Amino acid sequence: MSRRTFLGSALAASALAGVAPAPARAASPPGDVVGKITVGYQGWFAAPGDGSPINAWWHWGNNWGQAPSPSNTAITAWPDMRDYARGFPTAYRNLGNGQPATLFSSYDQQTVDTHFRWMRENNCDTAALQRFNPFGGEGPTRDGMAVKVRSAAEANGRKFYIMYDVTNWTNMQSEIKTDWTTKMSANTASPAYARQNGKPVVCIWGFGFNDDGRPFAPGPCQDVINWFKAQGCYVIGGVPTHWRTEIEDSRTGFAGVYRSFDMLSPWMVGRIGNVADTDRFFTNVNQPDQAECNARGIDYQPCVLPGDLPSRHRAHGDFMWRQFYNVVRLGAQGIYISMFDEYNEGNQIAKTAETQAFVPVGSGMLALDEDGTPCSADYYLRLTGDGGRMLKGQIALTPVRPTQPVVGGTPPPPADLARGKGTAQSSQTQGYGGGNAVDGNPDTYWESANSAFPQWLQVDLGSATGARWAVLTLPAAWGSRTQTLSVTDGGSTTLVPSAAYAFNPGSGNAVTIALPGTATRYLRLNFTANTGWPAGQLSGLQVYA
């Protein structure tokens, strides 16, 4: 059972009323999930003859009793098979390069070893092993997968923990406790089992979702959380996107349930699909989520996803990198990658077909070069590795993606298109002219006439350019303030509607605005309010393509 998406449109940022905050505490210290990259690991693919108890094309086809083919497929992206020692023949036509179309089995220990080697090579610290209802026919195979994951994690110096998915688990409240007590808790004896704050980590995914597959009431959910805590566990909640406001994908009445977890990891697949979505969620969801978690002593682990490949969300890595940039500048306690091996929904970071030469002919599946940019099969693993380094402070926080789609490729120039360019403004105070915003000096600034809104500042980029984002800054020593502004093309075309942007010295007094990529020569910022001074103010205006 795959996690299907629950699409939402409205974004609410108001705090939930009527829930008293828990005593605040400092964020947990670095452990195996705090300060780390965790990847969701399905481990749910099998094939006849692989030795698995299920002995079927588990999750490769809709009909597990028949070989997967274009008419019997459960996947939307094709794995790159070159690192696997063993593949199982399918009913697909040959790959574009003429080789047979084979697929791996997760039940093959070499497959799991290969996946955990990729994690080790690409800075993925911890794997969350997905465990759906183990009391049905899939149970023995899932039990075997836990053994294989433990072995691979130990061999590759990675951590892992059990992540229970309660989807369609009718007797969840009692059976999840039995499964932990009689089977899964034994894994905590492994040096590879993840611990946080000295406690073994367990995640429960699915409480509070507003859908028929997870109909549980708050009481049974709270009982399960309390029980795991009584076993001495650090308990993570895989919760709805809108857990804080209990709208859209969240049921009501779960406020106390959500806030009793040690860490919250809200689901994001299906909610965002481009850079603008990512920035919108950063402002309206992630920032108030982080503030709420800070106030209540809860660790926050937002999702970062590579993007739905068949929906062409990936933008050769720019979509994923923007999420890394946003959650790191947010100060999140950890990052959850959705997912490592999710070939069903096309959100996998594991090695994927680079070109149509590695995709079965006639399958209709896209390769990583779908937008015309060549990408190596391991590109999203490497991108995740660099995102992890940025999380840990090993590389500087940057909105410019440092990872190249192909190793040895030419880096995209991180050029500020506004630096040193001509400016114009509606007004200025004394010598604080618009040129100060593009001179590269963080201490000089433009300031408009006082008490005379609206005001504007414009930069001439020199030629029509498809700009993708603008970074606005104030001097680092200035106090917090919020400026309300819109972005136009210098004429009547609105590129970004008016919104309030918070400048905070704790985050460098910088804000980033996603631009639509419309080719324009002039960018004009139109100021209508400033809570810190009765004028438009900027020390830096940087523009990037």
Side-chain angles (χ1 to χ4, degrees):
M1 176 63 64
S2 183
R3 293 175 184 161
R4 293 302 154 192
T5 57
F6 308 94
L7 299 178
S9 56
L11 296 175
S14 61
L16 185 67
V19 180
R25 61 167 171 81
S28 294
D32 293 335
V33 289
V34 171
K36 298 298 192 295
I37 295 288
T38 297
V39 297
Y41 190 68
Q42 300 283 25
W44 63 5
F45 296 105
D50 63 359
S52 65
I54 205 165
N55 194 37
W57 286 103
W58 196 32
H59 289 282
W60 286 124
N62 292 318
N63 182 340
W64 297 353
Q66 296 181 357
S69 66
S71 61
N72 178 39
T73 186
I75 60 174
T76 58
W78 193 265
D80 181 278
M81 290 294 296
R82 287 175 290 181
D83 278 11
Y84 299 101
R86 185 183 184 192
F88 295 82
T90 70
Y92 285 94
R93 294 168 61 186
N94 286 349
L95 306 183
N97 59 18
Q99 296 176 344
T102 62
L103 291 168
F104 64 79
S105 167
S106 300
Y107 205 77
D108 187 339
Q109 184 68 59
Q110 190 270 339
T111 293
V112 186
D113 290 342
T114 297
H115 289 168
F116 275 73
R117 172 173 60 82
W118 293 348
M119 294 180 203
R120 171 173 52 82
E121 293 171 345
N122 294 282
N123 208 32
C124 301
D125 304 291
T126 304
L129 174 61
Q130 315 297 289
R131 188 167 176 82
F132 291 76
N133 179 3
F135 287 84
E138 300 180 11
T141 302
R142 293 196 180 279
D143 293 347
M145 284 307 306
V147 174
K148 296 173 188 298
V149 164
R150 174 174 175 172
S151 173
E154 291 174 351
N156 285 277
R158 301 298 91 186
K159 301 293 184 177
F160 78 102
Y161 61 84
I162 301 301
M163 185 173 188
Y164 286 108
D165 189 317
V166 301
T167 304
N168 295 324
W169 192 346
T170 303
N171 299 317
M172 177 277 302
Q173 186 179 1
S174 61
E175 290 178 349
I176 196 172
K177 300 173 187 177
T178 300
D179 184 70
W180 179 256
T181 301
T182 61
K183 293 181 179 180
M184 291 299 101
S185 64
N187 288 299
T188 63
S190 170
Y193 197 86
R195 290 182 175 269
Q196 183 61 50
N197 302 346
K199 300 176 180 182
V201 176
V202 172
C203 181
I204 304 169
W205 193 95
F207 285 173
F209 278 84
N210 188 20
D211 65 273
D212 294 339
R214 307 165 187 91
F216 313 106
C221 296
Q222 189 67 67
D223 170 69
V224 169
I225 297 169
N226 293 345
W227 185 86
F228 272 102
K229 285 191 169 184
Q231 310 309 301
C233 296
Y234 176 95
V235 187
I236 303 174
V239 297
T241 307
H242 301 288
W243 64 273
R244 180 175 41 80
T245 50
E246 294 189 286
I247 61 173
E248 296 189 40
D249 60 348
S250 174
R251 298 181 188 275
T252 58
F254 276 78
V257 173
Y258 297 145
R259 289 158 178 81
S260 64
F261 284 110
D262 294 303
M263 171 179 269
L264 287 174
S265 187
W267 191 238
M268 286 297 295
V269 174
R271 283 40 167 197
I272 57 175
N274 54 51
V275 167
D277 287 347
T278 299
D279 284 348
R280 186 162 49 91
F281 266 79
F282 171 75
T283 299
N284 296 328
V285 175
N286 300 130
Q287 284 187 315
D289 275 5
Q290 182 71 72
E292 172 86 354
C293 287
N294 290 348
R296 298 178 184 274
I298 302 170
D299 296 321
Y300 186 51
Q301 185 197 53
C303 286
V304 165
L305 46 146
D308 183 339
L309 181 60
S311 297
R312 302 179 185 268
H313 288 166
R314 298 199 173 198
H316 51 271
D318 288 347
F319 173 56
M320 190 178 195
W321 189 258
R322 187 63 183 186
Q323 296 168 68
F324 276 125
Y325 171 68
N326 281 347
V327 300
V328 172
R329 68 188 174 119
L330 180 71
Q333 279 69 61
I335 294 175
Y336 183 84
I337 304 296
S338 311
M339 304 278 288
F340 185 86
D341 54 343
E342 179 55 276
Y343 292 97
N344 304 93
E345 296 181 0
N347 275 299
Q348 75 289 341
I349 63 168
K351 292 190 180 183
T352 300
E354 301 173 350
T355 68
Q356 289 299 313
F358 297 96
V359 175
V361 173
S363 68
M365 295 184 198
L366 299 176
L368 292 183
D369 65 348
E370 51 81 19
D371 71 348
T373 303
C375 299
S376 64
D378 68 345
Y379 175 45
Y380 288 90
L381 291 165
R382 293 187 291 107
L383 194 70
T384 299
D386 284 341
R389 280 183 273 276
M390 188 164 68
L391 171 69
K392 297 164 190 172
Q394 297 167 353
I395 62 174
L397 176 68
T398 174
V400 180
R401 171 177 48 79
T403 319
Q404 301 316 304
V406 177
V407 174
T410 302
D416 173 9
L417 303 179
R419 175 70 66 88
K421 297 296 177 60
T423 60
Q425 60 277 321
S426 54
S427 65
Q428 68 182 67
T429 295
Q430 300 177 10
Y432 303 114
N436 290 345
V438 296
D439 64 1
N441 185 337
D443 297 319
T444 62
Y445 60 93
W446 163 74
E447 181 175 305
S448 73
N450 289 189
S451 303
F453 285 118
Q455 297 287 340
W456 55 264
L457 172 66
Q458 178 174 295
V459 61
D460 179 355
L461 301 177
S463 62
T465 303
R468 294 307 248 172
W469 66 85
V471 179
L472 313 184
T473 59
L474 294 175
W478 286 16
S480 298
R481 66 202 63 203
T482 297
Q483 298 196 76
T484 302
L485 59 98
S486 64
V487 184
T488 66
D489 65 350
S492 60
T493 301
T494 297
L495 303 178
V496 180
S498 181
Y501 296 93
F503 293 80
N504 189 315
S507 56
N509 266 336
V511 301
T512 302
I513 300 176
L515 301 173
T518 305
T520 182
R521 176 173 174 174
Y522 301 97
L523 280 181
R524 177 177 292 187
L525 308 180
N526 303 283
F527 294 78
T528 56
N530 183 344
T531 62
W533 197 256
Q537 297 173 310
L538 273 190
S539 66
L541 168 56
Q542 303 164 35
V543 179
Y544 297 95

